[in-house]
Amino acid sequence: MSVEKPGKPDKKSSGTPKTVTKVLKNRAGLSNGRPPTAAKPSASLSHKKTRDQIRSHHQLNKQLATAEAKGDDAEAGELIKRIEDLGGLQSYQLASIQGQAKDRGGDSSSVLMQWLKPLAEQMALREHKIRMLEVGALSMANACSKSGLFDIERIDLPVPDSDKTQFDIISLSLVLNFVPDPEGRGEMLRRTCQFLNKHARRAFGDELQAIFPALFLVLPAPCIVNSRYINEERLTCMMASMGYVMLQRKLTAKLVYYLWQLRDKPRKDKQDFPKKQVNPGASRNNFCVVLNITPPLRDRTQQRPTRPTSLDAPATLADLTNTENRIEALLSLNGPVMVLFRDMTNQITTLRTRVEKAEAETRDLRTHVDLTFESFAAETTKVIKETNAKCQEVIDSNDEKMAAATMRVEGGP
Ligand SMILES: C[S@@+](CC[C@H](N)C(=O)[O-])C[C@H]1O[C@@H](n2cnc3c(N)ncnc32)[C@H](O)[C@@H]1O
């Protein structure tokens, strides 16, 4: 069965949304109830208008987060008013639905469905559908909804308070970049782990085990390829510190898509990713994700009690797991690291071939020298023997001549 020819489309969408994160507070102006779920907004916005609206909304939210962090109430009030003047969250969401239209690049979940295509049959045969949490869900007309392969829980801002449910896959498509501050983004990523059913992996006794539990993450491409503070290597290490391994990656002119599997235990002691320039340059952007051992201050009051640590392995084993995890994550990178790695491997192979060739030549040469030496030695021995024999002959004949001469002198016979 293909992903495109599904069973029944998922209809379980209208239940109360669950909280994924409280990173963004429900501010006046952002609290406009459930997002619109219609496939198409009635009024079509121009491409440029859509883009400008989304951009302005992002910028104003970022400024608002900064003003709130500084405690600048006047500035924050002014920014909230400007967001409302733009139509608030609802107009942003409408613009985002427009952005999903086919003529504007299509919906990002179609990439996920492509990646899962080889597993579609197995997924369809399961007694219980794979449970998906779609964060920032704007429409039920997207590819993952239409596939009928998932039992989907959709949430969007404003987020309510319950967060007990476990899922097999989370879709975080174009949501992380919506979070206005770097610490909030790190926290959102970290929280995805709490929602993924870590036992699911063992429960899937088949190829699905190689994919789930998973996180489908989509970001605007410049966030990763042109940021001063984050690149793919750093993101991979950050994800690895949470236990994620990259399974798939796709880069287009506009977006970067990833599929991560939550495979290992998080290493909180390794979660130390402060704001740090990894890619300096005047033309770069400031997108940043900060992941710290300590959660952001404003969020601590909302922390649930920490989970039992029965999952924590002994330090040495955990170290090993983490190292393996990082190596695996790095090896699964299709980006510059992989290219570098491949180049180095090629160079090593070339060098090894040259060394082997040189060794073989040396061996041949030595054999040749040995043979030459042996035949030279044999020849020399032969010449010496012959010379000796000749000398002996000469000596013998000389001796005879001497004896004859002596006898003549002495008047012998
Ligand atoms: C650009 S839209 C993305 C829509 C869709 N997922 C896609 O890929 O096209 C971003 C959505 O994320 C929602 N969002 C942002 N932060 C969120 C959060 N913390 N929890 C839930 N939804 C959030 C916004 O309300 C918005 O509807």
Side-chain angles (χ1 to χ4, degrees):
M1 181 192 274
S2 81
V3 174
E4 281 76 18
K5 290 197 169 170
K8 266 192 188 167
D10 167 83
K11 292 228 164 63
K12 230 177 134 186
S13 69
S14 52
T16 313
K18 303 273 192 293
T19 305
V20 146
T21 174
K22 294 162 194 156
V23 167
L24 285 181
K25 289 178 271 174
N26 295 344
R27 306 174 181 115
L30 287 182
S31 308
N32 288 317
R34 291 281 296 159
T37 52
K40 267 191 174 182
S42 48
S44 182
L45 300 166
S46 81
H47 187 24
K48 187 174 174 323
K49 203 170 166 199
T50 310
R51 214 182 40 218
D52 288 350
Q53 216 165 23
I54 292 175
R55 197 171 289 158
S56 308
H57 202 88
H58 278 246
Q59 271 165 3
L60 288 171
N61 264 304
K62 234 184 266 176
Q63 289 166 13
L64 179 57
T66 314
E68 284 182 340
K70 282 193 298 196
D72 189 342
D73 291 345
E75 173 76 2
E78 176 60 29
L79 288 162
I80 287 171
K81 188 170 173 312
R82 283 177 63 191
I83 291 171
E84 276 175 359
D85 289 347
L86 268 181
L89 182 65
Q90 200 164 21
S91 75
Y92 167 79
Q93 288 169 336
L94 276 171
S96 295
I97 291 177
Q98 283 279 358
Q100 292 180 339
K102 262 215 174 90
D103 59 332
R104 304 200 181 159
D107 108 73
S108 55
S109 74
S110 58
V111 172
L112 175 65
M113 297 322 295
Q114 275 299 320
W115 285 340
L116 295 181
K117 206 168 181 171
L119 300 178
E121 198 166 10
Q122 283 189 45
M123 287 169 69
L125 289 174
R126 285 175 60 80
E127 195 187 336
H128 300 292
K129 286 186 185 178
I130 300 283
R131 278 180 59 67
M132 172 188 273
L133 174 63
E134 193 186 352
V135 185
L138 282 179
S139 158
M140 284 176 62
N142 58 3
C144 61
S145 299
K146 285 200 264 180
S147 76
L149 294 174
F150 302 99
D151 169 9
I152 307 185
E153 184 100 29
R154 298 176 181 84
I155 63 164
D156 205 304
L157 289 173
V159 281
D161 268 343
S162 150
D163 58 4
K164 289 188 195 84
T165 327
Q166 293 281 285
F167 296 88
D168 305 313
I169 182 163
I170 297 179
S171 166
L172 207 61
S173 169
L174 297 170
V175 178
L176 195 68
N177 54 304
F178 186 96
V179 177
D181 59 296
E183 291 80 8
R185 290 180 200 128
E187 193 51 26
M188 184 180 241
L189 283 179
R190 198 209 311 265
R191 285 194 185 187
T192 58
C193 306
Q194 294 170 1
F195 287 83
L196 286 176
N197 188 356
K198 289 176 206 98
H199 306 297
R201 197 165 168 222
R202 262 173 280 141
F204 293 126
D206 43 31
E207 285 163 47
L208 302 185
Q209 207 179 56
I211 302 275
F212 301 106
L215 171 68
F216 177 58
L217 176 68
V218 185
L219 285 167
C223 290
I224 297 300
V225 298
N226 195 32
S227 159
R228 276 187 198 93
Y229 300 105
I230 191 160
N231 54 19
E232 201 157 74
E233 192 182 344
R234 192 166 172 82
L235 175 70
T236 307
C237 292
M238 204 179 274
M239 297 300 281
S241 78
M242 289 180 269
Y244 280 112
V245 173
M246 191 199 294
L247 299 182
Q248 294 281 3
R249 167 198 186 265
K250 178 180 163 141
L251 179 67
T252 66
K254 287 187 179 162
L255 301 177
V256 59
Y257 306 75
Y258 297 102
L259 187 62
W260 307 90
Q261 183 176 36
L262 187 62
R263 228 183 251 180
D264 297 298
K265 289 148 207 159
R267 285 298 310 264
K268 292 205 175 101
D269 54 328
K270 301 282 176 195
Q271 290 176 6
D272 185 20
F273 296 91
K275 186 168 182 176
K276 180 179 132 191
Q277 287 221 22
V278 290
N279 210 8
S283 60
R284 310 249 183 249
N285 64 61
N286 287 327
F287 183 78
C288 177
V289 180
V290 165
L291 186 70
N292 284 322
I293 310 156
T294 328
L297 196 58
R298 65 186 162 72
D299 211 45
R300 271 186 223 156
T301 50
Q302 299 169 352
Q303 287 295 295
R304 291 194 311 263
T306 42
R307 298 166 71 82
T309 52
S310 58
L311 287 177
D312 291 343
T316 46
L317 189 60
D319 277 347
L320 193 67
T321 311
N322 194 50
T323 309
E324 279 173 354
N325 181 14
R326 287 178 66 148
I327 291 172
E328 203 167 340
L330 281 169
L331 288 179
S332 70
L333 256 177
N334 288 328
V337 173
M338 200 56 202
V339 172
L340 202 70
F341 182 75
R342 225 177 287 128
D343 279 358
M344 280 168 60
T345 316
N346 286 345
Q347 280 180 27
I348 289 169
T349 312
T350 313
L351 281 173
R352 185 169 293 149
T353 315
R354 283 171 62 182
V355 168
E356 278 168 7
K357 200 171 156 218
E359 274 174 4
E361 280 173 8
T362 311
R363 261 196 313 275
D364 286 354
L365 209 62
R366 188 169 295 150
T367 314
H368 181 69
V369 168
D370 286 350
L371 285 176
T372 313
F373 182 77
E374 269 168 31
S375 71
F376 174 75
E379 192 65 26
T380 311
T381 314
K382 194 175 147 210
V383 170
I384 290 171
K385 267 188 194 155
E386 285 170 3
T387 313
N388 279 345
K390 276 198 179 126
C391 286
Q392 198 55 52
E393 267 174 34
V394 173
I395 290 167
D396 290 348
S397 92
N398 280 347
D399 281 352
E400 279 170 22
K401 282 179 192 161
M402 276 289 284
T406 310
M407 280 174 72
R408 267 200 305 278
V409 171
E410 290 173 354

